Amino acid sequence: MELGDKAVGFLLTLTSLSIFTYYTFWVIILPFVDSDHFAHKYFLPQEYAILIPVIAGVVLLSFLSIFVGLVMLKSKKKKKTT
């Protein structure tokens, strides 16, 4: 079981580092590269560099709020029955 946990942890770390490196290169380095350079074909337009994290944040906060609300409702029902 420990080996499985370590493998999952390693995979998550590798995925996070890959996304961080890609995003950092996309947002910080790519604007200084000529627009006709071949590297531009591997990246989305710059507008998405802001749009994707904003949408991901809104979705994450929405799910978090729904989860907290459901937990509060369940705990309120539990107090009424006792």
Side-chain angles (χ1 to χ4, degrees):
M1 189 70 170
E2 283 184 27
L3 186 61
D5 291 343
K6 286 184 180 182
V8 169
F10 178 75
L11 187 64
L12 287 173
T13 303
L14 190 65
T15 303
S16 298
L17 280 172
S18 299
I19 291 171
F20 176 76
T21 304
Y22 179 87
Y23 188 79
T24 302
F25 188 80
W26 182 25
V27 172
I28 296 175
I29 297 173
L30 204 61
F32 298 108
V33 177
D34 291 333
S35 60
D36 59 345
H37 196 270
F38 75 93
H40 280 276
K41 68 180 178 180
Y42 297 111
F43 297 92
L44 293 171
Q46 289 290 321
E47 297 84 33
Y48 292 107
I50 299 299
L51 228 124
I52 291 172
V54 167
I55 290 173
V58 168
V59 168
L60 180 70
L61 286 175
S62 298
F63 282 128
L64 186 63
S65 299
I66 290 169
F67 175 74
V68 169
L70 289 174
V71 168
M72 289 173 63
L73 285 174
K74 283 185 180 182
S75 70
K76 192 180 231 184
K77 286 181 184 177
K78 210 178 231 187
K79 284 184 180 180
K80 282 185 178 180
T81 59
T82 56

Coordinates of all heavy atoms in Angstrom, one line a residue:
M1 N 0.8 -1.2 0.0 CA 0.0 0.0 0.0 C 0.9 1.3 0.0 O 0.5 2.2 -0.6 CB -0.9 0.0 1.2 CG -2.0 1.0 1.2 SD -3.2 0.7 -0.1 CE -4.4 1.9 0.3
E2 N 2.0 1.2 0.7 CA 2.8 2.4 0.8 C 3.4 2.7 -0.6 O 3.5 3.9 -1.0 CB 3.9 2.2 1.8 CG 3.5 2.4 3.2 CD 4.7 2.3 4.1 OE1 5.8 2.6 3.7 OE2 4.5 1.9 5.3
L3 N 3.7 1.7 -1.3 CA 4.3 1.9 -2.7 C 3.3 2.6 -3.6 O 3.6 3.5 -4.4 CB 4.8 0.6 -3.3 CG 5.5 0.7 -4.6 CD1 6.8 1.6 -4.4 CD2 5.9 -0.7 -5.1
G4 N 2.0 2.2 -3.5 CA 1.0 2.8 -4.3 C 0.8 4.3 -3.9 O 0.6 5.1 -4.8
D5 N 0.8 4.6 -2.6 CA 0.7 6.0 -2.2 C 1.8 6.8 -2.7 O 1.6 7.9 -3.1 CB 0.6 6.0 -0.7 CG -0.7 5.5 -0.1 OD1 -1.7 5.3 -0.9 OD2 -0.7 5.2 1.1
K6 N 3.0 6.2 -2.6 CA 4.2 7.0 -3.1 C 4.1 7.2 -4.6 O 4.5 8.3 -5.1 CB 5.5 6.2 -2.8 CG 5.8 6.3 -1.3 CD 7.2 5.7 -1.1 CE 7.5 5.8 0.4 NZ 8.8 5.2 0.7
A7 N 3.6 6.2 -5.4 CA 3.5 6.4 -6.8 C 2.5 7.4 -7.2 O 2.7 8.2 -8.1 CB 3.1 5.0 -7.4
V8 N 1.3 7.4 -6.5 CA 0.3 8.4 -6.7 C 0.9 9.8 -6.4 O 0.6 10.8 -7.1 CB -1.0 8.1 -5.9 CG1 -1.9 9.3 -5.9 CG2 -1.6 6.9 -6.4
G9 N 1.6 9.9 -5.2 CA 2.2 11.2 -4.8 C 3.2 11.7 -5.9 O 3.2 12.9 -6.2
F10 N 4.0 10.8 -6.4 CA 5.0 11.1 -7.4 C 4.3 11.6 -8.7 O 4.7 12.6 -9.3 CB 5.9 10.0 -7.7 CG 6.9 10.2 -8.7 CD1 8.0 11.0 -8.5 CD2 6.8 9.7 -10.0 CE1 8.9 11.3 -9.5 CE2 7.7 10.0 -11.0 CZ 8.8 10.8 -10.7
L11 N 3.2 10.9 -9.1 CA 2.5 11.2 -10.3 C 1.8 12.6 -10.1 O 1.9 13.4 -11.1 CB 1.5 10.2 -10.6 CG 0.7 10.3 -11.9 CD1 1.7 10.2 -13.1 CD2 -0.4 9.3 -12.0
L12 N 1.2 12.9 -9.0 CA 0.6 14.2 -8.7 C 1.6 15.3 -8.7 O 1.4 16.4 -9.3 CB -0.2 14.2 -7.4 CG -1.5 13.4 -7.4 CD1 -2.1 13.3 -6.0 CD2 -2.5 14.0 -8.4
T13 N 2.8 15.1 -8.1 CA 3.9 16.1 -8.1 C 4.4 16.3 -9.5 O 4.6 17.5 -9.9 CB 5.0 15.6 -7.2 OG1 4.5 15.3 -5.9 CG2 6.1 16.6 -7.1
L14 N 4.6 15.3 -10.3 CA 5.1 15.4 -11.6 C 4.1 16.2 -12.5 O 4.4 17.1 -13.3 CB 5.3 14.0 -12.2 CG 6.1 14.0 -13.6 CD1 7.5 14.6 -13.4 CD2 6.1 12.6 -14.1
T15 N 2.8 15.9 -12.3 CA 1.7 16.6 -13.1 C 1.7 18.1 -12.7 O 1.6 18.9 -13.6 CB 0.4 15.9 -12.8 OG1 0.4 14.5 -13.2 CG2 -0.7 16.6 -13.6
S16 N 1.8 18.3 -11.4 CA 1.7 19.7 -10.9 C 2.9 20.5 -11.5 O 2.8 21.7 -11.9 CB 1.7 19.8 -9.4 OG 0.6 19.2 -8.9
L17 N 4.1 19.9 -11.4 CA 5.3 20.6 -11.9 C 5.2 20.8 -13.4 O 5.6 21.9 -13.9 CB 6.5 19.8 -11.6 CG 7.1 19.9 -10.2 CD1 8.2 18.9 -9.9 CD2 7.6 21.4 -9.9
S18 N 4.7 19.9 -14.1 CA 4.5 20.0 -15.6 C 3.6 21.2 -15.9 O 3.9 22.0 -16.8 CB 4.0 18.7 -16.2 OG 4.9 17.7 -16.0
I19 N 2.4 21.2 -15.2 CA 1.5 22.3 -15.5 C 2.1 23.6 -15.1 O 1.9 24.6 -15.8 CB 0.2 22.0 -14.7 CG1 -0.6 20.8 -15.3 CG2 -0.8 23.3 -14.7 CD1 -1.7 20.3 -14.5
F20 N 2.8 23.7 -14.0 CA 3.4 24.9 -13.5 C 4.4 25.4 -14.5 O 4.5 26.6 -14.9 CB 4.0 24.8 -12.2 CG 4.8 26.0 -11.7 CD1 4.1 27.1 -11.2 CD2 6.2 26.0 -11.7 CE1 4.8 28.2 -10.7 CE2 6.9 27.1 -11.3 CZ 6.2 28.2 -10.8
T21 N 5.3 24.5 -15.0 CA 6.3 24.9 -16.0 C 5.7 25.4 -17.3 O 6.1 26.4 -17.9 CB 7.2 23.7 -16.3 OG1 7.8 23.2 -15.0 CG2 8.3 24.0 -17.2
Y22 N 4.7 24.6 -17.8 CA 4.0 25.0 -19.0 C 3.4 26.4 -18.9 O 3.5 27.3 -19.7 CB 2.9 24.0 -19.4 CG 2.1 24.3 -20.6 CD1 2.6 23.9 -21.8 CD2 0.9 25.0 -20.5 CE1 1.8 24.1 -23.0 CE2 0.2 25.2 -21.7 CZ 0.6 24.8 -22.9 OH -0.1 25.1 -24.0
Y23 N 2.6 26.6 -17.8 CA 1.9 27.9 -17.6 C 2.9 29.0 -17.4 O 2.7 30.1 -17.9 CB 1.0 27.8 -16.3 CG 0.1 29.0 -16.2 CD1 -1.0 29.2 -16.9 CD2 0.5 30.0 -15.2 CE1 -1.8 30.3 -16.8 CE2 -0.3 31.1 -15.1 CZ -1.5 31.3 -15.9 OH -2.3 32.4 -15.7
T24 N 4.0 28.8 -16.7 CA 5.0 29.8 -16.5 C 5.7 30.2 -17.8 O 5.9 31.4 -18.1 CB 6.1 29.4 -15.5 OG1 5.5 29.0 -14.2 CG2 7.1 30.4 -15.2
F25 N 6.0 29.2 -18.6 CA 6.6 29.5 -19.9 C 5.6 30.3 -20.8 O 6.0 31.2 -21.4 CB 7.1 28.2 -20.6 CG 7.8 28.5 -21.8 CD1 9.2 28.8 -21.8 CD2 7.2 28.4 -23.1 CE1 9.9 29.0 -22.9 CE2 7.9 28.6 -24.2 CZ 9.3 28.9 -24.2
W26 N 4.4 29.9 -20.7 CA 3.3 30.5 -21.5 C 3.1 32.0 -21.2 O 3.0 32.8 -22.0 CB 2.0 29.7 -21.3 CG 0.8 30.1 -22.1 CD1 0.8 30.7 -23.3 CD2 -0.5 29.8 -21.8 NE1 -0.5 30.9 -23.7 CE2 -1.3 30.3 -22.8 CE3 -1.1 29.1 -20.7 CZ2 -2.7 30.2 -22.7 CZ3 -2.5 29.0 -20.7 CH2 -3.3 29.5 -21.7
V27 N 3.1 32.3 -19.9 CA 2.7 33.6 -19.4 C 3.9 34.5 -19.3 O 3.8 35.7 -19.6 CB 2.0 33.5 -18.1 CG1 1.7 34.8 -17.4 CG2 0.6 32.8 -18.2
I28 N 5.0 34.0 -18.9 CA 6.2 34.9 -18.6 C 7.2 35.0 -19.7 O 7.6 36.1 -20.1 CB 6.9 34.5 -17.3 CG1 5.9 34.6 -16.1 CG2 8.1 35.3 -17.1 CD1 6.4 34.1 -14.8
I29 N 7.5 33.9 -20.4 CA 8.5 33.9 -21.4 C 8.0 34.1 -22.8 O 8.6 34.8 -23.6 CB 9.3 32.6 -21.3 CG1 10.0 32.5 -19.9 CG2 10.3 32.4 -22.4 CD1 10.7 31.2 -19.6
L30 N 6.9 33.5 -23.1 CA 6.4 33.5 -24.5 C 6.1 34.9 -25.0 O 6.3 35.2 -26.2 CB 5.1 32.6 -24.6 CG 4.8 32.1 -26.0 CD1 6.0 31.2 -26.5 CD2 3.6 31.3 -26.0
P31 N 5.6 35.9 -24.2 CA 5.3 37.2 -24.8 C 6.6 37.9 -25.3 O 6.5 38.8 -26.1 CB 4.8 38.0 -23.6 CG 4.2 37.0 -22.7 CD 5.0 35.7 -22.9
F32 N 7.8 37.5 -24.8 CA 9.0 38.1 -25.3 C 9.6 37.3 -26.5 O 10.7 37.8 -27.0 CB 10.0 38.1 -24.2 CG 9.6 38.9 -23.0 CD1 9.2 38.3 -21.8 CD2 9.5 40.3 -23.1 CE1 8.7 39.1 -20.7 CE2 9.0 41.1 -22.0 CZ 8.6 40.5 -20.9
V33 N 9.0 36.3 -26.9 CA 9.5 35.5 -28.1 C 8.7 36.0 -29.3 O 7.5 36.4 -29.3 CB 9.2 34.0 -27.9 CG1 9.6 33.2 -29.1 CG2 9.9 33.5 -26.7
D34 N 9.4 36.1 -30.5 CA 8.8 36.6 -31.7 C 7.6 35.7 -32.0 O 7.5 34.5 -31.8 CB 9.8 36.4 -32.9 CG 11.0 37.4 -32.8 OD1 10.8 38.5 -32.1 OD2 12.0 37.1 -33.3
S35 N 6.6 36.4 -32.6 CA 5.3 35.7 -32.8 C 5.4 34.7 -34.0 O 4.5 33.8 -34.1 CB 4.2 36.8 -33.2 OG 4.6 37.5 -34.3
D36 N 6.4 34.7 -34.8 CA 6.5 33.7 -35.8 C 7.4 32.6 -35.4 O 7.7 31.7 -36.2 CB 7.1 34.4 -37.1 CG 8.4 35.0 -36.9 OD1 8.8 35.3 -35.8 OD2 9.1 35.3 -38.0
H37 N 7.8 32.5 -34.2 CA 8.7 31.4 -33.6 C 7.8 30.2 -33.5 O 6.6 30.2 -33.3 CB 9.2 31.8 -32.3 CG 10.4 30.9 -31.8 ND1 10.1 29.8 -31.1 CD2 11.7 31.1 -32.0 CE1 11.3 29.2 -30.8 NE2 12.3 30.0 -31.4
F38 N 8.4 29.0 -33.7 CA 7.7 27.7 -33.8 C 7.1 27.4 -32.4 O 6.1 26.6 -32.3 CB 8.6 26.6 -34.2 CG 9.6 26.1 -33.2 CD1 9.3 25.1 -32.3 CD2 10.8 26.8 -33.0 CE1 10.2 24.7 -31.3 CE2 11.7 26.4 -32.1 CZ 11.4 25.3 -31.2
A39 N 7.6 28.0 -31.3 CA 7.1 27.6 -30.0 C 5.6 28.1 -29.8 O 4.9 27.5 -29.0 CB 8.0 28.2 -28.9
H40 N 5.2 29.1 -30.5 CA 3.9 29.6 -30.4 C 2.8 28.6 -30.8 O 1.6 28.7 -30.3 CB 3.7 30.9 -31.2 CG 4.3 32.1 -30.5 ND1 3.6 32.8 -29.5 CD2 5.5 32.7 -30.6 CE1 4.3 33.8 -29.1 NE2 5.5 33.8 -29.7
K41 N 3.1 27.7 -31.6 CA 2.1 26.7 -32.1 C 1.7 25.7 -31.0 O 0.7 25.0 -31.1 CB 2.5 26.0 -33.3 CG 3.6 25.1 -33.2 CD 4.0 24.4 -34.6 CE 5.1 23.5 -34.4 NZ 5.5 22.9 -35.7
Y42 N 2.5 25.6 -29.9 CA 2.2 24.7 -28.8 C 1.4 25.3 -27.7 O 1.1 24.7 -26.7 CB 3.6 24.2 -28.2 CG 4.4 23.4 -29.2 CD1 5.6 23.9 -29.7 CD2 3.9 22.2 -29.7 CE1 6.3 23.2 -30.7 CE2 4.6 21.5 -30.7 CZ 5.8 22.0 -31.1 OH 6.5 21.3 -32.1
F43 N 1.1 26.6 -27.8 CA 0.4 27.3 -26.7 C -0.9 27.9 -27.3 O -1.0 28.3 -28.4 CB 1.3 28.4 -26.1 CG 2.5 27.9 -25.5 CD1 3.7 27.7 -26.2 CD2 2.5 27.5 -24.2 CE1 4.8 27.2 -25.6 CE2 3.6 27.0 -23.6 CZ 4.8 26.9 -24.3
L44 N -1.9 28.0 -26.4 CA -3.1 28.7 -26.7 C -2.9 30.2 -26.7 O -1.9 30.7 -26.3 CB -4.2 28.4 -25.6 CG -4.7 27.0 -25.6 CD1 -5.6 26.8 -24.3 CD2 -5.5 26.6 -26.8
P45 N -3.9 31.0 -27.3 CA -3.7 32.5 -27.2 C -3.6 33.0 -25.8 O -4.1 32.4 -24.9 CB -5.0 33.0 -27.9 CG -5.4 31.8 -28.8 CD -5.0 30.6 -28.0
Q46 N -3.0 34.2 -25.6 CA -2.7 34.7 -24.3 C -4.0 35.0 -23.5 O -4.0 35.0 -22.3 CB -2.0 36.0 -24.5 CG -0.5 35.8 -24.9 CD 0.3 35.2 -23.8 OE1 0.2 35.5 -22.7 NE2 1.2 34.3 -24.2
E47 N -5.1 35.2 -24.2 CA -6.4 35.5 -23.4 C -6.7 34.3 -22.5 O -7.3 34.5 -21.4 CB -7.5 35.7 -24.4 CG -7.4 36.9 -25.3 CD -6.6 36.7 -26.5 OE1 -6.6 35.5 -27.0 OE2 -5.9 37.6 -26.9
Y48 N -6.4 33.1 -22.9 CA -6.8 31.9 -22.2 C -5.9 31.8 -20.9 O -6.2 31.0 -20.0 CB -6.6 30.7 -23.0 CG -7.7 30.6 -24.1 CD1 -7.4 30.8 -25.4 CD2 -9.0 30.3 -23.8 CE1 -8.3 30.7 -26.4 CE2 -10.0 30.2 -24.8 CZ -9.6 30.4 -26.1 OH -10.6 30.4 -27.0
A49 N -4.8 32.5 -20.9 CA -3.9 32.4 -19.7 C -4.5 33.0 -18.5 O -4.2 32.6 -17.4 CB -2.6 33.1 -20.0
I50 N -5.5 33.9 -18.7 CA -6.2 34.4 -17.6 C -7.6 33.7 -17.4 O -8.0 33.4 -16.3 CB -6.4 35.9 -17.8 CG1 -5.1 36.7 -17.9 CG2 -7.3 36.5 -16.7 CD1 -4.2 36.6 -16.6
L51 N -8.2 33.4 -18.5 CA -9.5 32.8 -18.5 C -9.6 31.5 -17.8 O -10.5 31.2 -17.0 CB -10.0 32.7 -19.9 CG -11.5 33.2 -20.1 CD1 -11.5 34.3 -21.2 CD2 -12.3 32.1 -20.5
I52 N -8.6 30.6 -18.2 CA -8.6 29.2 -17.6 C -8.5 29.2 -16.1 O -9.3 28.6 -15.4 CB -7.6 28.4 -18.3 CG1 -8.0 28.1 -19.8 CG2 -7.4 27.0 -17.6 CD1 -6.9 27.5 -20.6
P53 N -7.5 29.9 -15.5 CA -7.4 29.9 -14.0 C -8.6 30.6 -13.4 O -9.1 30.1 -12.3 CB -6.1 30.7 -13.7 CG -5.3 30.6 -15.0 CD -6.3 30.6 -16.1
V54 N -9.2 31.6 -14.0 CA -10.4 32.2 -13.4 C -11.5 31.3 -13.4 O -12.2 31.1 -12.3 CB -10.7 33.6 -14.1 CG1 -12.1 34.1 -13.7 CG2 -9.7 34.6 -13.9
I55 N -11.8 30.6 -14.5 CA -12.9 29.7 -14.5 C -12.7 28.5 -13.6 O -13.6 28.1 -12.9 CB -13.1 29.2 -16.0 CG1 -13.6 30.3 -16.8 CG2 -14.0 28.0 -16.0 CD1 -13.7 30.0 -18.3
A56 N -11.4 28.0 -13.5 CA -11.1 26.9 -12.6 C -11.3 27.4 -11.1 O -11.9 26.6 -10.3 CB -9.7 26.4 -12.8
G57 N -11.0 28.6 -10.8 CA -11.2 29.1 -9.4 C -12.6 29.3 -9.1 O -13.1 28.9 -8.0
V58 N -13.4 29.7 -10.0 CA -14.9 29.9 -9.8 C -15.5 28.5 -9.6 O -16.3 28.4 -8.7 CB -15.5 30.7 -11.0 CG1 -17.0 30.6 -10.9 CG2 -15.1 32.1 -11.0
V59 N -15.1 27.6 -10.4 CA -15.7 26.2 -10.3 C -15.3 25.6 -8.9 O -16.1 25.0 -8.2 CB -15.3 25.3 -11.4 CG1 -15.6 23.9 -11.2 CG2 -15.9 25.8 -12.7
L60 N -14.0 25.8 -8.6 CA -13.5 25.2 -7.3 C -14.3 25.9 -6.1 O -14.7 25.2 -5.2 CB -12.0 25.5 -7.1 CG -11.4 25.0 -5.9 CD1 -11.4 23.5 -5.8 CD2 -10.0 25.5 -5.7
L61 N -14.4 27.2 -6.1 CA -15.1 27.9 -5.0 C -16.6 27.5 -5.0 O -17.2 27.4 -3.9 CB -14.9 29.4 -5.2 CG -13.6 29.9 -4.8 CD1 -13.5 31.4 -5.1 CD2 -13.3 29.7 -3.3
S62 N -17.2 27.3 -6.1 CA -18.6 26.9 -6.2 C -18.8 25.5 -5.5 O -19.7 25.3 -4.7 CB -19.1 26.8 -7.6 OG -19.0 28.1 -8.2
F63 N -17.9 24.6 -5.9 CA -18.0 23.2 -5.3 C -17.7 23.3 -3.8 O -18.4 22.6 -3.0 CB -17.1 22.2 -6.0 CG -17.6 21.7 -7.3 CD1 -16.9 21.8 -8.5 CD2 -18.9 21.2 -7.4 CE1 -17.3 21.4 -9.7 CE2 -19.4 20.7 -8.6 CZ -18.6 20.8 -9.8
L64 N -16.8 24.1 -3.4 CA -16.4 24.2 -2.0 C -17.6 24.8 -1.2 O -17.9 24.3 -0.1 CB -15.2 25.0 -1.8 CG -14.6 25.1 -0.5 CD1 -14.2 23.8 0.1 CD2 -13.4 26.1 -0.4
S65 N -18.2 25.8 -1.8 CA -19.4 26.4 -1.1 C -20.6 25.4 -1.0 O -21.2 25.4 0.0 CB -19.8 27.7 -1.9 OG -18.8 28.6 -1.9
I66 N -20.8 24.7 -2.1 CA -21.9 23.7 -2.0 C -21.6 22.6 -1.0 O -22.5 22.2 -0.2 CB -22.1 23.1 -3.4 CG1 -22.7 24.1 -4.4 CG2 -23.0 21.8 -3.4 CD1 -22.7 23.7 -5.8
F67 N -20.3 22.2 -0.9 CA -20.0 21.2 0.0 C -20.2 21.7 1.5 O -20.8 21.0 2.3 CB -18.5 20.7 -0.2 CG -18.0 19.8 0.9 CD1 -18.4 18.5 0.9 CD2 -17.1 20.2 1.8 CE1 -17.9 17.6 1.8 CE2 -16.7 19.4 2.8 CZ -17.1 18.0 2.8
V68 N -19.7 22.9 1.8 CA -19.8 23.4 3.1 C -21.3 23.6 3.4 O -21.8 23.3 4.6 CB -19.1 24.8 3.2 CG1 -19.4 25.5 4.5 CG2 -17.6 24.5 3.2
G69 N -22.1 24.1 2.5 CA -23.5 24.2 2.7 C -24.2 22.9 3.0 O -25.1 22.9 3.9
L70 N -23.9 21.9 2.3 CA -24.5 20.6 2.5 C -24.1 20.0 3.9 O -24.9 19.5 4.6 CB -24.1 19.6 1.4 CG -24.7 19.8 0.1 CD1 -24.2 18.9 -1.0 CD2 -26.2 19.7 0.2
V71 N -22.9 20.2 4.3 CA -22.4 19.8 5.6 C -23.1 20.5 6.7 O -23.6 19.9 7.7 CB -20.9 19.9 5.7 CG1 -20.4 19.7 7.2 CG2 -20.2 18.9 4.8
M72 N -23.3 21.8 6.5 CA -24.0 22.6 7.5 C -25.5 22.2 7.6 O -26.1 22.1 8.7 CB -24.0 24.1 7.2 CG -22.6 24.7 7.4 SD -22.4 26.4 6.8 CE -23.6 27.2 7.8
L73 N -26.1 21.9 6.5 CA -27.5 21.4 6.5 C -27.6 20.1 7.2 O -28.6 19.8 8.0 CB -28.1 21.3 5.1 CG -28.4 22.6 4.4 CD1 -28.8 22.4 3.0 CD2 -29.5 23.3 5.2
K74 N -26.7 19.2 6.9 CA -26.8 17.8 7.6 C -26.5 17.9 9.1 O -27.2 17.2 9.8 CB -25.7 16.9 6.9 CG -26.1 16.4 5.6 CD -25.1 15.4 5.1 CE -25.6 14.9 3.7 NZ -24.7 13.9 3.2
S75 N -25.6 18.8 9.5 CA -25.4 18.9 10.9 C -26.6 19.6 11.6 O -26.9 19.3 12.7 CB -24.1 19.7 11.2 OG -24.3 21.1 10.9
K76 N -27.3 20.5 10.9 CA -28.5 21.1 11.5 C -29.6 20.1 11.7 O -30.3 20.0 12.7 CB -28.9 22.2 10.6 CG -30.0 23.1 11.2 CD -30.3 24.2 10.2 CE -30.2 25.6 10.8 NZ -30.7 26.6 9.9
K77 N -29.7 19.2 10.7 CA -30.7 18.1 10.8 C -30.4 17.1 11.9 O -31.3 16.7 12.6 CB -30.9 17.4 9.4 CG -31.6 18.1 8.4 CD -31.6 17.3 7.1 CE -32.2 18.1 6.0 NZ -32.3 17.3 4.7
K78 N -29.1 16.9 12.1 CA -28.7 16.0 13.1 C -29.0 16.5 14.5 O -29.4 15.8 15.4 CB -27.2 15.7 12.9 CG -26.7 14.4 13.4 CD -25.3 14.2 13.2 CE -25.0 12.9 12.4 NZ -23.6 12.6 12.3
K79 N -28.8 17.8 14.7 CA -29.1 18.5 16.0 C -30.6 18.4 16.3 O -31.0 18.3 17.4 CB -28.6 19.9 16.0 CG -27.1 20.0 16.1 CD -26.6 21.4 16.2 CE -25.1 21.5 16.3 NZ -24.6 22.9 16.4
K80 N -31.4 18.6 15.2 CA -32.9 18.6 15.5 C -33.3 17.2 15.9 O -34.2 17.1 16.7 CB -33.6 19.0 14.2 CG -33.6 20.4 13.9 CD -34.4 20.7 12.7 CE -34.5 22.2 12.4 NZ -35.3 22.5 11.2
T81 N -32.7 16.1 15.4 CA -33.2 14.8 15.8 C -32.7 14.3 17.1 O -33.3 13.4 17.7 CB -32.7 13.8 14.7 OG1 -31.3 13.8 14.6 CG2 -33.3 14.1 13.3
T82 N -31.7 15.0 17.7 CA -31.2 14.5 19.0 C -31.8 15.3 20.1 O -32.5 16.2 20.1 CB -29.7 14.7 19.1 OG1 -29.3 16.0 18.8 CG2 -29.0 13.7 18.2

